[in-house]
């Protein structure tokens, strides 16, 4: 079933400066439907963010088309033959994968490694694509990613062949990882709502890692009608999560 129009989203999930937000709120905008209505009536401020109010509705896919897509779906290797075997040749493109475990297990390291693996050629288990890393905890380590990248470079060709261009190859690999640092749940939701535009502006994105999805929500309590209220509960060190979404392969 396809809705007749966009699904309304709170204005707080839009990416905009404080002045734009205040102007829209003063004009009576509370959600995405208000923004679309105001933009259609000629409000320039609403028109400037109207793109964020989409999409225009849901689309359906037949079970047969879904099966055909499943059969032709590519995979991205984890770098571990044992893990690839469990997953069925690695992470499948076009799917959401949740990685969970206790603190210190290596989930962040694994997410950073996948940002390197996705850049590998298809015949080497990669997707020849770029990656987006959304860091909610401040745990992304550029130094560690650089070490992993150099290891991948050294493993892909002989030291004699790689040595003259090793630094250039490292710079190229790091440049293909797009890092977003989000500091609270509002920024996180807003960024997720903007990912379609981010991907559209970079057609090479093949992997999105969100580390972790739960961090900014641990100290929040969802009340009546979805309102969020702060509660004074200590961080319980619950299992962290990484959500990896392979968008296009």
């Amino acid at each position: 079933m396809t809705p007749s129009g966009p699904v309304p989203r709170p204005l707080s999930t839009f990416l905009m400066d404080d002045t734009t937000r205040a102007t829209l709120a003063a004009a009576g905008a509370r959600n995405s439907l208000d923004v679309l209505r105001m933009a259609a009536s000629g409000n320039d401020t609403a028109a400037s963010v109207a793109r964020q109010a989409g999409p225009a509705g849901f689309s359906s896919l037949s079970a047969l088309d879904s099966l055909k897509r499943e059969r032709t779906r590519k995979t991205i290797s984890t770098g571990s033959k044992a893990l690839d075997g469990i997953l069925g040749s690695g992470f499948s493109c076009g799917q959401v994968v949740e990685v969970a475990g206790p603190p210190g297990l290596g989930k962040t390291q694994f997410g950073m490694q996948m940002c390197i693996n996705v850049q590998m050629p298809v015949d080497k288990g990669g997707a020849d694509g770029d990656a987006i890393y959304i860091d909610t905890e401040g745990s992304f380590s550029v130094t560690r990613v650089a070490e992993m990248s150099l290891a991948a470079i050294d493993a892909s060709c002989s030291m004699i062949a790689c040595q003259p261009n090793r630094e250039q190859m490292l710079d190229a690999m790091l440049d293909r990882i797009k890092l977003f640092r989000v500091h609270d749940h509002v920024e996180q939701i807003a960024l997720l709502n903007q990912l379609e535009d981010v991907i559209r502006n970079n057609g090479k994105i093949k992997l999105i890692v969100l580390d972790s999805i739960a961090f900014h929500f641990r100290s929040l309590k969802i009340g009546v009608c979805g309102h969020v209220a702060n509660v004074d509960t200590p961080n319980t060190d619950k299992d962290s999560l990484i959500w990896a979404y392979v968008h296009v392969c």
Side-chain angles (χ1 to χ4, degrees), residues 33-48:
L33 296 184
D34 293 336
V35 171
L36 289 175
R37 173 180 52 77
M38 292 167 60
S41 64
N43 186 300
D44 292 337
T45 304
S48 69

Side-chain angles (χ1 to χ4, degrees), residues 1-235:
M1 179 179 180
T2 301
S4 57
V7 178
R9 291 190 290 103
L11 201 62
S12 60
T13 63
F14 283 61
L15 280 178
M16 65 183 80
D17 56 55
D18 292 339
T19 300
T20 301
R21 193 181 303 279
T23 301
L24 289 175
R30 295 294 179 268
N31 56 46
S32 55
L33 296 184
D34 293 336
V35 171
L36 289 175
R37 173 180 52 77
M38 292 167 60
S41 64
N43 186 300
D44 292 337
T45 304
S48 69
V49 296
R51 188 186 186 96
Q52 299 184 42
F58 298 110
S59 60
S60 62
L61 183 70
S62 72
L64 177 60
D65 289 339
S66 181
L67 178 60
K68 290 179 180 178
R69 180 179 296 182
E70 191 75 26
R71 288 173 173 171
T72 59
R73 184 168 284 158
K74 298 177 182 178
T75 58
I76 299 175
S77 173
T78 64
S80 166
K81 291 183 178 180
L83 188 53
D84 282 351
I86 294 173
L87 296 172
S89 300
F91 287 135
S92 295
C93 296
Q95 290 188 340
V96 175
V97 178
E98 181 180 347
V99 179
L105 187 67
K107 301 180 296 300
T108 295
Q109 297 267 339
F110 186 60
M112 294 189 295
Q113 182 65 56
M114 289 305 301
C115 289
I116 298 169
N117 294 357
V118 72
Q119 301 182 40
M120 297 295 107
V122 175
D123 60 352
K124 299 295 184 181
D128 191 24
D130 298 356
I132 288 176
Y133 198 103
I134 303 173
D135 181 12
T136 68
E137 303 186 21
S139 55
F140 184 90
S141 171
V142 179
T143 301
R144 180 57 179 150
V145 170
E147 293 173 351
M148 292 177 168
S149 299
L150 286 174
I153 292 170
D154 294 341
S156 63
C157 59
S158 67
M159 286 297 294
I160 295 177
C162 285
Q163 194 61 42
N165 302 313
R166 199 164 177 255
E167 290 301 318
Q168 291 88 337
M169 294 172 70
L170 172 61
D171 290 347
M173 292 191 76
L174 294 179
D175 190 53
R176 299 182 72 179
I177 302 175
K178 317 303 179 184
L179 177 64
F180 290 87
R181 178 73 171 97
V182 294
H183 300 87
D184 55 44
H185 69 283
V186 175
E187 284 188 7
Q188 183 172 326
I189 294 172
L191 175 58
L192 293 178
N193 284 322
Q194 285 298 291
L195 280 182
E196 184 177 353
D197 284 338
V198 174
I199 294 169
R200 186 182 294 111
N201 292 331
N202 185 341
K204 294 287 289 182
I205 296 296
K206 301 295 179 68
L207 175 75
I208 298 173
V209 177
L210 173 52
D211 177 19
S212 66
I213 192 171
F215 182 74
H216 289 310
F217 296 91
R218 290 174 182 164
S219 60
L220 299 176
K221 181 178 181 181
I222 306 300
V224 179
C225 300
H227 293 296
V228 179
N230 288 313
V231 291
D232 295 324
T233 55
N235 191 319

